[in-house]
Amino acid sequence: MTAELVHGQNHPLPGARLEIRLTANVPVIAGVTLTDEHGRVPRPEWVGHPGEPVLPGLELPRQAAAEQRLAVDLGALPDEVRKVSVLLALPTGVGGPERFGTLAAPYTAVTALDGAEIASFTITGLDSESAVFALELYQRQGAWKVRAVGQGYAGGLAAMLADQGLPQAAELAARINDAVADGLARAVGAAPAGPSNGSRPAPQGGGRTTGVNYQHPTRHFTPPPQPTPQPTPAPAQPTPQPTPAGGVNYQHPTRATTPTPPPAAPPQPQPGEPRVPVAGDATGWSMEERLYNQVWGMFEDLARTVAAYRSAVDFADSRMERELEGVLSDPRTRVGPVADAARETARARHIQLVDQARASLDRDIAQLKAEADVVEPALPPQYARWDNPVWHGYRVPTEHPMALRLGDLSLEEAGGLRIPMLIRLPLERGLWIDTGARDTFGLADADEVRGQGLALAASIAARLLAIYPAGDFGVHVIDPAGGAGTALAPLVSSGSLAAPPATGAGGVQSVLAKLTQRVDLVQMAIRSGAADALPPDIDTADQLLVVHDFPHGFDDRSITQLRYLADEGPSVGVHLMLVADRQESAAYGPLLDPLWRKLLRVTPVPEDHLADPWIGHAWTYEPVMVPPGSQVLTQVLAQVGAARRSMPS
């Protein structure tokens, strides 16, 4: 039976191998500190965190996430350790909440390896604190216990570590936050909360309407207590937002009018019946929104079912190891027929557990593949691959899109299942196409990767131009050395670009100065409520700046302007796409580190560098490229260019 602890209460631990689960509503840092008999942390090596996730007897998550799991082996801790303190902290400098008082109470649980909860603790009473000690595992008279702590620090990680007597606490806290910022820069942004959260309504009894069951296939556990549900009011009808006289309106254009009630959900199957996948089987006011939410639901389903499989295999491995240790620890059973039989039994049980987990995973993946086969052909152009027939019937849209397909995501265990990577529009972060990436499959050399990086940039820019109404999105290109002519030819020849690609140092300065001025003026207009005072030559449409071969042609001033656009541009509709090899800018040292972190890194070749916002798996990203020999890009851009030319001057 689970012991539900309150502040200061303790509970004995039945074994040395444990798992600690932490749940919060937002991504949080999970870490531990090890203290000696004097109650102090003697050195930084005794602090586990995302930058140093493995300590003797401990394995921690490698990034901030809303759900965290820590593996603990108390028997493998250094002999001097008397206490393990488990901490939570809010990341700094990433635009998230600054104190726990604005969030729901974090929940922690200590479980055995079979998933059975030993003790749980809900951390209540937090206000201005941004770091908190949740639990401590401590040794008393040779036995280990867990105590609920809930001690918070308004000064954050630095104050918490200093209170533990750690030298250089502020420096270590800064390193931890830097490691977390690097991890979050790899993460695919979570789907928005509310009706557009990517979740499909759960049927009675839990689980998703897809039928995917991502609970641990070989064990059962009690989920964290949930707050009592409140009656859900009918969705409010949004009031149309008037457009300022100057034409600047950054409200989502498809939410600015009274929405049409969503169509009725398809009938649910009776218990025991197989579920037939249906495109658009999710919440949303439009089919575009429902498909977006459905794809995000598939993304989450795959993340969680693979996590359950991996956890089950880890459990099977640990159980076999423990059983074999039991055989070897007794000299009487170490050799001979009894030992051989015990080993065979342990291995057979291990195979049985792994096979059971694999069968559960295969069933869930088959369900998701069937759903993907139905959803993929139904996707609109903004979500579709370039080889989707929907592009053959393309027409310039009249409404702004909700999201953009940036590529595909997959996991090794998923057997070829790929999930569309959809990101919300307008872009909240710029993009960095890393031409220094190395092909995971070894099929492309460095020169080919560079060429594919430029082709990917042209593909993304063309897709953005194609999915916005004519004149509502502009693309600028900086190509200092003029080496991008071939890849950019469809954009240039169709007349889709806002201006010809800028070359040379003078061209770099001219484009950066123009876009920087636009950001400054629009920000001032919005803050002062004087949008009608904008100069007539300021283009208030969303803008994308594509920078090729960075940092060639850039001096210190232009790099500062570029960083400014990356920081301030997205809030007023100016977005950045950098085509660059980070190693080529190494001479600038840490000056450019904030720029790289600000951008979402994508690669022109498959690479497992992106993380999901739920579990933190390393997903393989594959770009969506135009098929070789296809004329679809040229045909689509011809329509875009014609629509731009037909607009009144």
Side-chain angles (χ1 to χ4, degrees):
M1 182 176 178
T2 304
E4 298 182 2
L5 306 180
V6 297
H7 286 268
Q9 185 178 358
N10 61 38
H11 187 75
L13 295 173
R17 295 186 176 182
L18 310 164
E19 187 174 80
I20 299 175
R21 298 175 182 165
L22 309 169
T23 304
N25 280 353
V26 298
V28 293
I29 302 170
V32 297
T33 62
L34 307 180
T35 51
D36 57 20
E37 59 185 359
H38 305 295
R40 299 176 66 84
V41 180
R43 52 188 180 273
E45 291 76 17
W46 279 32
V47 179
H49 54 84
E52 294 289 341
V54 179
L55 300 179
L58 294 161
E59 185 170 354
L60 289 80
R62 288 165 167 77
Q63 70 173 42
E67 298 177 14
Q68 303 273 27
R69 295 190 179 192
L70 290 69
V72 181
D73 184 353
L74 299 172
L77 294 172
D79 293 338
E80 315 93 276
V81 173
R82 294 293 178 267
K83 183 171 67 176
V84 179
S85 299
V86 180
L87 64 90
L88 291 176
L90 294 172
T92 61
V94 296
E98 298 181 353
R99 58 191 185 93
F100 279 109
T102 62
L103 307 172
Y107 175 84
T108 65
V110 180
T111 74
L113 290 183
D114 62 358
E117 280 196 3
I118 300 167
S120 65
F121 174 44
T122 302
I123 311 172
T124 57
L126 299 177
D127 185 13
S128 61
E129 298 88 347
S130 59
V132 59
F133 278 120
L135 304 168
E136 61 183 25
L137 313 179
Y138 65 97
Q139 197 172 20
R140 182 67 55 83
Q141 297 179 347
W144 285 91
K145 297 183 177 182
V146 57
R147 176 183 290 125
V149 181
Q151 179 182 355
Y153 293 81
L157 270 176
M160 170 185 280
L161 297 175
D163 191 47
Q164 295 273 294
L166 183 69
Q168 299 90 35
E171 291 83 351
L172 178 57
R175 291 205 305 273
I176 294 173
N177 278 305
D178 286 345
V180 170
D182 287 339
L184 290 176
R186 297 171 46 242
V188 181
S196 302
N197 63 357
S199 301
R200 287 159 280 183
Q204 191 74 19
R208 292 190 172 277
T209 60
T210 55
V212 172
N213 176 16
Y214 44 75
Q215 300 295 330
H216 194 297
T218 61
R219 53 185 173 178
H220 304 282
F221 56 87
T222 304
Q226 300 297 322
T228 303
Q230 299 297 321
T232 303
Q237 302 298 321
T239 303
Q241 299 294 321
T243 301
V248 180
N249 182 1
Y250 288 99
Q251 296 294 327
H252 193 294
T254 63
R255 307 295 172 269
T257 57
T258 303
T260 302
Q268 296 298 320
Q270 297 298 319
E273 292 183 3
R275 180 182 174 277
V276 178
V278 178
D281 185 10
T283 57
W285 295 108
S286 65
M287 179 57 75
E288 179 188 13
E289 187 173 8
R290 295 178 70 179
L291 286 168
Y292 172 84
N293 289 339
Q294 185 173 15
V295 169
W296 267 87
M298 294 163 60
F299 184 21
E300 182 177 0
D301 281 344
L302 183 56
R304 294 191 183 278
T305 195
V306 170
Y309 169 73
R310 291 177 179 178
S311 180
V313 172
D314 288 343
F315 169 67
D317 292 343
S318 176
R319 177 170 179 169
M320 183 176 68
E321 181 182 347
R322 187 170 65 252
E323 291 174 348
L324 292 177
E325 284 179 356
V327 173
L328 296 174
S329 63
D330 189 346
R332 295 170 299 178
T333 61
R334 192 173 297 166
V335 295
V338 175
D340 293 340
R343 292 188 185 94
E344 287 301 319
T345 300
R347 293 189 182 102
R349 188 177 290 112
H350 175 270
I351 293 172
Q352 179 185 10
L353 292 176
V354 171
D355 287 347
Q356 182 181 349
R358 185 72 224 191
S360 178
L361 175 67
D362 290 343
R363 182 178 62 251
D364 292 347
I365 288 178
Q367 183 95 31
L368 288 170
K369 282 184 176 179
E371 186 171 13
D373 290 342
V374 172
V375 169
E376 187 72 46
L379 296 177
Q382 55 267 39
Y383 302 164
R385 299 177 61 89
W386 284 111
D387 56 3
N388 192 310
V390 71
W391 286 107
H392 296 294
Y394 170 78
R395 294 292 181 270
V396 176
T398 58
E399 294 186 353
H400 284 213
M402 172 182 289
L404 166 77
R405 184 173 189 160
L406 203 58
D408 291 332
L409 298 171
S410 61
L411 292 171
E412 181 181 0
E413 294 91 341
L417 174 63
R418 289 171 173 80
I419 304 295
M421 178 182 171
L422 304 182
I423 57 173
R424 288 298 292 260
L425 294 174
L427 295 170
E428 295 182 357
R429 298 168 63 185
L431 302 175
W432 164 30
I433 298 177
D434 185 5
T435 55
R438 296 296 174 258
D439 189 353
T440 300
F441 305 121
L443 302 179
D445 59 25
D447 291 336
E448 290 175 321
V449 170
R450 287 178 179 275
Q452 291 175 20
L454 191 53
L456 176 58
S459 170
I460 294 173
R463 183 182 288 264
L464 283 165
L465 284 167
I467 63 178
Y468 274 85
D472 284 6
F473 196 90
V475 174
H476 304 262
V477 176
I478 289 179
D479 183 21
T486 302
L488 298 177
L491 291 165
V492 176
S493 62
S494 65
S496 301
L497 295 180
T503 58
V508 171
Q509 286 293 341
S510 175
V511 173
L512 290 177
K514 180 179 180 179
L515 291 178
T516 301
Q517 180 190 42
R518 181 202 179 281
V519 170
D520 289 339
L521 291 177
V522 175
Q523 280 186 335
M524 288 188 292
I526 291 175
R527 284 196 295 264
S528 61
D532 55 347
L534 282 170
D537 61 336
I538 294 296
D539 186 359
T540 57
D542 280 15
Q543 308 289 323
L544 174 70
L545 173 60
V546 181
V547 180
H548 175 238
D549 206 20
F550 178 81
H552 180 78
F554 282 74
D555 56 19
D556 290 346
R557 181 170 179 269
S558 55
I559 285 178
T560 300
Q561 290 175 313
L562 197 68
R563 287 184 54 185
Y564 175 75
L565 292 177
D567 290 337
E568 302 296 333
S571 64
V572 290
V574 176
H575 313 286
L576 182 63
M577 182 159 63
L578 219 58
V579 185
D581 181 351
R582 186 171 183 174
Q583 292 303 316
E584 294 182 357
S585 61
Y588 288 94
L591 175 66
L592 291 179
D593 286 351
L595 175 62
W596 303 121
R597 290 176 185 159
K598 197 72 177 180
L599 305 175
L600 175 63
R601 176 178 177 261
V602 295
T603 54
V605 289
E607 186 178 296
D608 56 347
H609 67 284
L610 291 176
D612 64 79
W614 305 283
I615 309 299
H617 294 310
W619 292 73
T620 296
Y621 167 82
E622 295 182 56
V624 175
M625 307 291 280
V626 179
S630 173
Q631 297 300 310
V632 63
L633 187 66
T634 303
Q635 295 167 1
V636 167
L637 288 176
Q639 292 194 45
V640 172
R644 288 177 61 89
R645 288 190 295 272
S646 66
M647 293 176 57
S649 301

